[in-house]
Amino acid sequence: MVRFLINSLVLVLPVVALWVIFWGRMEKLDSAPRPYREGEVRPWEREAEERAERRRVNAMMEEELMRRAA
């Protein structure tokens, strides 16, 4: 019985230690997947807004260039 307990501790302690270490790192890195909060901007929405803004600025610059060329 004592041998079983010692063997269990030898196997369980390293596994628990690794779990605690990796859980702590995952918490620090915030790499745990989580749902987006209400009002939070998703990366693809931000990229779409940036593309729209670039298109608007490019259209204004092209219009200005055409006015100067005329």
Side-chain angles (χ1 to χ4, degrees):
M1 182 68 171
V2 173
R3 180 171 259 171
F4 172 75
L5 290 175
I6 292 172
N7 287 338
S8 296
L9 285 176
V10 167
L11 293 174
V12 170
L13 284 179
V15 171
V16 171
L18 286 173
W19 180 77
V20 168
I21 290 169
F22 286 125
W23 183 262
R25 287 188 181 193
M26 209 165 72
E27 291 283 322
K28 286 179 187 174
L29 296 175
D30 195 27
S31 62
R34 60 170 177 76
Y36 283 97
R37 296 182 188 105
E38 185 177 338
E40 186 175 11
V41 178
R42 293 169 176 86
W44 57 87
E45 291 174 349
R46 187 174 354 149
E47 290 170 3
E49 290 173 2
E50 290 172 358
R51 281 194 304 270
E53 179 66 19
R54 278 196 304 265
R55 276 191 228 112
R56 187 181 69 78
V57 169
N58 285 342
M60 288 174 30
M61 290 174 62
E62 185 178 349
E63 185 179 315
E64 179 67 25
L65 184 63
M66 292 300 225
R67 240 192 321 237
R68 289 184 183 185

